[in-house]
Amino acid sequence: QPARAVDLVEEESGAPGEEQRRWEEARLGAASLKFGARDAASQEPKYQLVLEEEETIEFVRATQLQGDEEPSAPPTPTQAQQKESIQAVRRSLPVFPFREELLAAIANHQVLIIEGETGSGKTTQIPQYLFEEGYTKKGMKIACTQPRRVAAMSVAARVAREMGVKLGNEVGYSIRFEDCTSERTVLRYMTDGMLLREFLSEPDLASYSVVMVDEAHERSLHTDILFGLIKDVARFRPELKVLVASATLDTARFSTFFDDAPVFRIPGRRFPVDIFYTKAPEADYLEACVVSVLQIHVTQPPGDILVFLTGQEEIEAACEMLQDRCRRLGSKIRELLVLPIYANLPSDMQARIFQPTPPGARKVVVATNIAETSLTIEGIIYVLDPGFCKQKSYNPRTGMESLTVTPCSKASANQRAGRAGRVAAGKCFRLYTAWAYQHELEETTVPEIQRTSLGNVVLLLKSLGIHDLMHFDFLDPPPYETLLLALEQLYALGALNHLGELTTSGRKMAELPVDPMLSKMILASEKYSCSEEILTVAAMLSVNNSIFYRPKDKVVHADNARVNFFLPGGDHLVLLNVYTQWAESGYSSQWCYENFVQFRSMRRARDVREQLEGLLERVEVGLSSCQGDYIRVRKAITAGYFYHTARLTRSGYRTVKQQQTVFIHPNSSLFEEQPRWLLYHELVLTTKEFMRQVLEIESSWLLEVAPHYYKAKELEDPHAKKMPKKIGKTREELG
Ligand code: CDP
Ligand code: MG
């Protein structure tokens, strides 16, 4: 029993300090979510992976995901991969035998729905077949959309390699703020949002011969809008080919939507997957993940592991924990390669997950939902599924959008499990009970269009000349209130007039590939003569909370470094400060290292800033600097974000309009200060509704920037009048 030799008991490192606790609570709050319900004692044989008594998680084998292949002796994936040439791999994909049939179907029908198991070759092969077949003659292009940036980049890189061309030549990708295409690029992988923006410059997509809407089952907001627009374009461009590719989910609905377009099925090829559940709910899924990975590693035959977590912070934490324990176990266990994958991971790091595992070692890929259907990693035999994903939700009543960790759907859980059966019979370990699966998971994920704010999309549709949004051809319509609120907000931002028509300012806002509030902030920087600073703030805000870096063994140093950037006024100015100092250092990576700042995030911010700067002329904003007068910067930010305001009341912060209780995120520079009025960039719900990136404002500014939205009366200071209580008392006394 090699397992017995393993010592996994953690030394207690003393009670964590208050600061540490707050941090953990905000950062990992979601990790302590759990499926509350108890297992209704399944009768199935018990399956247990033993490491150490205090630290094992008991799983029970419950069901099996049926496979199409017999589970007999498959080649080990690494051997298979190393032996075969890239062309042989292409020929081995499930789609390959259907190449001719598929091309014939495409030739015969304008719209074709293509259904196939993840990994069958839809994304990488079909555009190549079309290329080989001559669909890109006369300079015509093929577009293939992806809901995720990482997928667009990685798939394009793979296809370029298969075709033996340089990425950015014949094959390229285009994602927001990053364009890796050229005049020569005929196969264009792009995010669905980018194709949507193509409509602005080319409303009939005249330069495209084929549009493939890929990963359609994900039902991302932009994909859903594309459906409506493309269906319309297809009517007056009969030569345009439309392909809708999807994992094996929901294809009948797509067919119905596209006037009963035929469905082409690529038969599956998957080995059976045994599914295990935990016996009891796990309190902390992150910890449980780490323990389970090690359990699998020491007790299970060779094969790589895929773990599904919800986001970058969690993934980094899990990878750190895993590496830490492996280091401590040293030579007691075989080598375990720990590889993260999430949207902001730089591409060289992303590429590592596709490299074959060295003999004798095992690879564990810790991924977001991206690995559910958009990316296929060879060699995965074990899937570890805590059952959560990060999901946007939107409350049209309060106008609050938040990103929360929620249980994933059954459809999602089964897609995840399926990832284990691609190269051999696999196993999927679910970190929740069979009871929870049955009773607590929704059947499918609600389409994004029904749980997000629509400001962006409405602005885009308006600029495409689509006025009657209520009658737009939606696959699933958004809630009426959400649409209405989007119109109201755009009106408040000055993008629409009272008739709902696009204003000059609205037209400019649509030119900028950012949220309406952010575009408004950029436009307002003209008035406050601080566009230089505002561009920096906008760029820093769009790199997504990953500026500071906080290694576990240098927490104190990292926190000090962060505090050194604090400026009175709030987090937006802190971001500005970090960027300015970095620019003064000559954009140095050494400077980043010394100040616990993530170099790659900064580099990205610089790219984004350059791109936004290039767009300024188009929206008629001149370059200007506030020369240290930060009030102007703060006012310009307020001009865009006056919707996101909160004030301090006796019972903490409340949003100004809706009176919702909210909290300052503990790593905000204003956490200790608690200013009376503030504005926030976004809300994130973990243990509480946290405001991330907060700025101190004055209530009078709200009247200055949005007189049509705020009335002086509602901005009066509640602390100044103690009336209501006294009146209450008097009444009581009067009896
Ligand atoms: O789109 P679909 O899920 O049907 O499959 P695909 O993404 O075209 O993947 C086909 C094959 O290409 C899989 O076997 C992947 O392992 C491989 N692939 C890869 O090696 N590297 C990538 N970046 C993408 C795909
Ligand atoms: Mg695909």
Side-chain angles (χ1 to χ4, degrees), residues 185-387:
T185 310
V186 287
L187 282 193
R188 288 174 181 246
Y189 288 91
M190 53 172 88
T191 51
D192 45 10
M194 288 306 287
L195 186 61
L196 213 48
R197 297 200 73 84
E198 289 272 292
F199 278 89
L200 281 177
S201 50
E202 198 179 51
D204 52 356
L205 300 181
S207 62
Y208 290 90
S209 57
V210 185
V211 172
M212 171 162 162
V213 182
D214 201 359
E215 303 289 322
H217 63 273
E218 283 231 1
R219 302 293 309 277
S220 76
L221 171 64
H222 291 149
T223 291
D224 267 20
I225 301 293
L226 277 179
F227 284 145
L229 293 177
I230 290 175
K231 184 172 168 183
D232 193 44
V233 169
R235 280 202 194 103
F236 53 88
R237 273 199 60 203
E239 77 288 2
L240 175 74
K241 297 293 182 187
V242 177
L243 307 178
V244 176
S246 158
T248 50
L249 286 164
D250 238 12
T251 42
R253 292 219 44 210
F254 300 133
S255 164
T256 314
F257 179 79
F258 283 100
D259 305 323
D260 299 318
V263 179
F264 191 100
R265 293 204 169 77
I266 302 164
R269 194 197 286 171
R270 200 191 56 217
F271 297 92
V273 176
D274 282 332
I275 294 183
F276 299 86
Y277 294 94
T278 53
K279 268 190 88 178
E282 281 301 323
D284 179 341
Y285 69 74
L286 210 57
E287 174 67 22
C289 262
V290 172
V291 174
S292 308
V293 166
L294 290 168
Q295 280 181 208
I296 295 171
H297 186 46
V298 297
T299 62
Q300 298 290 302
D304 296 336
I305 309 172
L306 175 60
V307 184
F308 287 98
L309 287 176
T310 70
Q312 178 176 350
E313 288 190 342
E314 230 176 61
I315 289 176
E316 282 174 351
C319 288
E320 221 176 277
M321 282 154 80
L322 270 170
Q323 268 150 352
D324 199 43
R325 293 203 194 176
C326 286
R327 232 186 335 266
R328 267 188 275 161
L329 291 167
S331 57
K332 284 187 223 165
I333 55 169
R334 281 181 302 136
E335 188 185 357
L336 186 67
L337 296 170
V338 182
L339 303 174
I341 176 95
Y342 49 81
N344 286 324
L345 196 70
S347 28
D348 49 323
M349 296 273 284
Q350 284 171 24
R352 285 178 56 203
I353 66 164
F354 294 107
Q355 287 162 9
T357 313
R362 193 197 296 269
K363 174 160 87 182
V364 49
V365 177
V366 189
T368 57
N369 252 354
I370 178 125
E372 203 172 287
T373 60
S374 336
L375 288 184
T376 301
I377 305 154
E378 291 299 320
I380 300 294
I381 304 275
Y382 306 99
V383 163
L384 190 60
D385 176 20

Side-chain angles (χ1 to χ4, degrees), residues 525 529-536 609 616 621-625:
S525 70
S529 308
C530 55
S531 58
E532 291 274 12
E533 288 81 6
I534 285 295
L535 279 184
T536 304
R609 195 185 183 285
L616 277 196
V621 173
L623 275 181
S624 53
S625 161

Side-chain angles (χ1 to χ4, degrees), residues 472-547:
F472 183 76
D473 201 351
F474 292 111
L475 186 52
D476 281 308
Y480 178 72
E481 304 78 49
T482 309
L483 214 46
L484 211 59
L485 191 64
L487 291 166
E488 264 174 42
Q489 290 193 338
L490 289 170
Y491 172 71
L493 286 169
L496 301 178
N497 66 17
H498 66 287
L499 297 172
E501 298 158 344
L502 207 62
T503 61
T504 319
S505 148
R507 200 166 296 285
K508 290 182 189 168
M509 283 164 69
E511 287 277 341
L512 299 171
V514 294
D515 265 353
M517 289 191 277
L518 204 65
S519 348
K520 175 69 187 218
M521 170 180 103
I522 294 173
L523 293 187
S525 70
E526 170 77 4
K527 176 176 168 192
Y528 294 104
S529 308
C530 55
S531 58
E532 291 274 12
E533 288 81 6
I534 285 295
L535 279 184
T536 304
V537 172
M540 290 291 275
L541 286 172
S542 43
V543 298
N544 232 340
N545 295 310
S546 50
I547 302 295

